[in-house]
Amino acid sequence: MSLAKSVVTGTVYRAPEKRFTQNNVGVSAFVMNIGDRDEMLIRVISKRTSLDDLVSSLNKGDKVLVEGRLQTASVKSDDGSEKRIYEIDANTIERWGEITASSGSMDFGGEDIVKFESDDMSNELINEDEIPF
């Protein structure tokens, strides 16, 4: 069953692997943990060739942000018990904690603080009359 669009962050739990369908369509997949204290695992599937380089460069423990369509499925194990599996058919995958800026890469989780230079207009006050709403 396919559910609504979802955006989740977490860490790579199991390294990515790439397999091919019978029609020779490449499918990359990895498992990510979205739980803070307990393990809450979601399989991430990507059929987009534009994401192949990023997915293949992921390692266990990397932080990622995934946007896509959440899907659930029920499977029966060998002992007869039912288990629910959660998957995201990914549209976008990004490394979490890194961005590329003109000055290099920054870490969102670090202690980086943006400081304004003295010649910019950040120190000027704005009157309430100038606010458009």
Side-chain angles (χ1 to χ4, degrees):
M1 176 164 88
S2 180
L3 301 175
K5 178 179 174 178
S6 64
V7 178
V8 295
T9 60
T11 57
V12 176
Y13 184 80
R14 191 175 308 140
E17 59 183 39
K18 185 169 184 171
R19 296 187 181 177
F20 293 90
T21 65
Q22 293 176 349
N23 298 333
N24 206 24
V25 175
V27 178
S28 299
F30 64 94
V31 177
M32 69 184 283
N33 180 12
I34 64 169
D36 287 334
R37 294 191 177 126
D38 298 327
E39 288 181 351
M40 188 167 182
L41 305 178
I42 293 182
R43 183 182 306 148
V44 178
I45 299 170
S46 171
K47 300 172 193 155
R48 296 181 175 4
T49 55
S50 61
L51 297 176
D52 282 347
D53 290 337
L54 175 68
V55 172
S56 63
S57 71
L58 293 175
N59 296 310
K60 185 176 180 177
D62 287 349
K63 293 180 180 183
V64 291
L65 178 139
V66 177
E67 178 269 322
R69 193 150 187 84
L70 181 64
Q71 306 174 103
T72 62
S74 295
V75 289
K76 287 190 178 185
S77 60
D78 295 336
D79 63 359
S81 62
E82 258 191 42
K83 183 178 180 182
R84 189 161 290 267
I85 296 176
Y86 297 95
E87 296 178 336
I88 294 180
D89 185 5
N91 294 327
T92 307
I93 300 172
E94 297 179 25
R95 286 185 189 272
W96 185 251
E98 296 179 2
I99 61 167
T100 304
S102 59
S103 63
S105 68
M106 286 192 281
D107 186 4
F108 284 124
E111 297 295 322
D112 295 335
I113 298 173
V114 176
K115 294 182 180 178
F116 294 103
E117 296 181 18
S118 60
D119 62 344
D120 95 21
M121 299 171 58
S122 63
N123 292 331
E124 293 183 15
L125 296 175
I126 298 175
N127 292 331
E128 289 186 27
D129 298 335
E130 296 176 10
I131 299 174
F133 50 89

